[in-house]
Amino acid sequence: MTHCRSCAAPLNHLFCDLGFTPLANEYLGSETVDVAQTYYPLRAYVCSQCWLVQVAEFEKPERLFSHYAYFSSYSTSWLEHAKRYAHDMKYRMQLGPESLVIEVASNDGYLLQYFREQNIPVLGVEPARNVAAVAQERGIETVTSLLDRTLAESLVAKGTQADLLIANNVLAHVPDLNDFAGALAMLLRPTGVLTLEFPHLLRMIQGNQFDTIYHEHFSYFSLGTARKVLAKHGLQLFDVEELSTHGGSLRVYVQTSHGKRAITTRIRSVIDAEHTAGLDQLPVYEAFQVRADETKHALLDFLIQAKRARKSVVGYGAAAKGNTLLNYCGIRGDLIHYVVDRSPHKQGRILPGTCLPIHPVERIAQTRPDYVLLLAWNLKGEIMQQMRAIQDWGAKFVLAVPRLEVLT
């Protein structure tokens, strides 16, 4: 990758090199575990013109997202987050039976179900056929496709535009940012509101969240960069909220150039915080690699010491971020015995690269390991509450990110 996908400036500055890894969401079955896996360089660069952090596109979105292993409905805290949002937006925008809510990357209907419960018409757009099928079984009308200008044009031609357009945690998954932003602008009614949620680059850097880098995440955004991308397509930010989800995210509120909503001071506050933190200065980005390497070395030291002390370690969360961490560190079954996950769509499968088996959560109580490494650290509170019984046999939780920590 030689040029920025947002502004086309040359990319000359490395942000983080995590070696060679397989696709983070390409889980293996027993029939493929002995088949050669494809590894790709996982290097993120930063554009010194618009400050977009990005990785190269090795596989097309159609290949990555037509069948997907992530189902949003298996996190209770995420469902609570979605339900609060749906309730708040109904009253903030006075949505009702005559309104239309469209969600891009609507997954299994985890969010749209809460609008439908309030008698608000909904439409999902979801490229993963297996995930969209679950939403459709719930009665959520879903277009099974990636969003691009062509799809947006066809929907608009049928009179379909959104009063509320939602794009949660999808902006990072789009290699053609300008096409995607243009499609969003088409789908939004002139008086409508677009909200996007995405992990905040500032929190990623401050929290040493290098494991959120993987091939399916093409881009990583500050508020300043996101504002520039959207503005090129006649979309104006008028408000922002800082969220705790995914290690620190932003929810931005956007209107078309025809919108008349006042621009809040919160936008300037976040932009100022990004400037103060140095997100428009190369040294901040150049220092990130050192911290990632330190985490790798600390985790390997801990696991090797545990192995020598005859202590057993397992992982919780067959998440993409966990796959990045495990593959970057070169961890295999000699150091971590297995991983558990609540999603039945991952249970019985095998992690890419590391080839660790994925079991149901109940496996932990059966084998009683000494340590549980929280790979899905963004759900730390939820997992520790659900798994507090491990204290009965003296087991402890372990975090690797942002730094190695044994939780007592």
Side-chain angles (χ1 to χ4, degrees):
M1 184 174 60
T2 57
H3 291 86
C4 173
R5 62 170 43 97
S6 173
C7 70
L11 284 177
N12 301 316
H13 304 285
L14 183 66
F15 175 60
C16 193
D17 185 347
L18 299 175
F20 285 74
T21 74
L23 299 177
N25 284 298
E26 195 159 78
Y27 298 89
L28 307 175
S30 57
E31 73 285 356
T32 58
V33 68
D34 291 327
V35 176
Q37 299 176 60
T38 302
Y39 283 65
Y40 306 84
L42 185 54
R43 299 188 186 101
Y45 293 83
V46 60
C47 173
S48 59
Q49 298 299 310
C50 70
W51 305 108
L52 179 68
V53 172
Q54 54 208 286
V55 301
E57 178 186 357
F58 290 103
E59 294 286 355
K60 294 296 181 185
E62 292 81 1
R63 156 95 161 80
L64 297 175
F65 304 122
S66 62
H67 187 93
Y68 209 47
Y70 179 73
F71 288 72
S72 298
S73 292
Y74 289 99
S75 167
T76 55
S77 59
W78 185 245
L79 288 177
E80 291 166 2
H81 171 76
K83 189 172 185 177
R84 283 194 304 270
Y85 168 83
H87 179 271
D88 292 346
M89 291 305 292
K90 174 185 177 179
Y91 291 99
R92 179 168 179 166
M93 293 190 60
Q94 297 297 298
L95 299 171
E98 303 304 317
S99 308
L100 178 61
V101 176
I102 300 177
E103 184 182 14
V104 180
S106 51
N107 203 263
D108 57 7
Y110 76 101
L111 171 58
L112 291 181
Q113 65 181 331
Y114 297 120
F115 285 101
R116 195 184 59 173
E117 287 175 3
Q118 301 177 95
N119 297 315
I120 301 168
V122 300
L123 175 66
V125 179
E126 169 56 50
R129 291 185 296 274
N130 62 317
V131 181
V134 174
Q136 290 162 344
E137 289 170 3
R138 289 176 166 172
I140 306 292
E141 183 182 355
T142 304
V143 177
T144 307
S145 176
L146 291 161
L147 177 67
D148 56 18
R149 288 178 185 265
T150 301
L151 177 61
E153 287 171 354
S154 68
L155 289 172
V156 172
K158 298 173 185 176
T160 302
Q161 283 185 296
D163 297 287
L164 174 60
L165 180 59
I166 307 165
N168 287 344
N169 298 301
V170 64
L171 198 59
H173 292 271
V174 178
D176 193 337
L177 285 176
N178 290 306
D179 180 79
F180 185 75
L184 292 175
M186 290 181 196
L187 272 185
L188 187 62
R189 291 191 194 278
T191 56
V193 169
L194 161 68
T195 70
L196 303 99
E197 292 182 21
F198 51 86
H200 191 188
L201 179 63
L202 175 60
R203 303 304 171 205
M204 174 186 174
I205 292 175
Q206 291 176 334
N208 189 33
Q209 297 166 6
F210 63 89
D211 56 341
T212 60
I213 300 172
Y214 46 94
H215 297 103
E216 293 93 328
H217 273 181
F218 297 109
S219 304
Y220 307 80
F221 295 87
S222 64
L223 182 63
T225 298
R227 183 170 66 167
K228 291 175 185 175
V229 170
L230 295 169
K232 288 192 289 187
H233 302 277
L235 295 170
Q236 179 189 56
L237 270 65
F238 67 88
D239 199 5
V240 62
E241 293 178 59
E242 296 183 84
L243 309 172
S244 61
T245 53
H246 296 290
S249 297
L250 296 178
R251 176 187 291 152
V252 298
Y253 295 79
V254 183
Q255 61 188 353
T256 69
S257 55
H258 303 285
K260 300 183 189 289
R261 295 170 178 86
I263 298 174
T264 71
T265 58
R266 294 196 289 190
I267 292 176
R268 176 45 55 191
S269 177
V270 174
I271 295 287
D272 288 346
E274 292 176 349
H275 175 73
T276 300
L279 292 198
D280 53 1
Q281 301 172 38
L282 281 173
V284 169
Y285 298 91
E286 293 170 343
F288 191 70
Q289 181 76 55
V290 173
R291 297 167 62 201
D293 290 343
E294 288 173 350
T295 297
K296 172 181 179 177
H297 300 153
L299 177 58
L300 285 172
D301 285 346
F302 168 79
L303 292 174
I304 291 169
Q305 290 177 25
K307 179 75 172 181
R308 288 174 173 164
R310 299 185 182 278
K311 302 292 185 181
S312 57
V313 184
V314 303
Y316 192 113
K321 59 171 57 70
N323 288 333
T324 291
L325 175 69
L326 296 173
N327 280 295
Y328 171 52
C329 294
I331 293 168
R332 298 294 184 267
D334 59 327
L335 296 179
I336 292 182
H337 296 173
Y338 61 82
V339 170
V340 300
D341 199 278
R342 289 186 66 197
S343 172
H345 302 281
K346 295 181 181 179
Q347 294 165 7
R349 300 186 69 78
I350 297 166
L351 295 184
T354 63
C355 292
L356 296 175
I358 306 170
H359 294 293
V361 173
E362 292 75 19
R363 180 77 171 179
I364 289 180
Q366 295 167 359
T367 63
R368 296 193 166 205
D370 299 292
Y371 297 102
V372 177
L373 175 63
L374 297 177
L375 299 171
W377 50 259
N378 55 306
L379 301 175
K380 178 182 76 171
E382 176 182 333
I383 295 170
M384 291 182 67
Q385 176 64 22
Q386 293 170 350
M387 299 298 299
R388 59 187 181 278
I390 73 167
Q391 298 171 356
D392 294 345
W393 65 83
K396 296 179 180 179
F397 293 103
V398 180
L399 280 178
V401 176
R403 62 189 176 279
L404 188 80
E405 184 178 2
V406 179
L407 305 175
T408 57

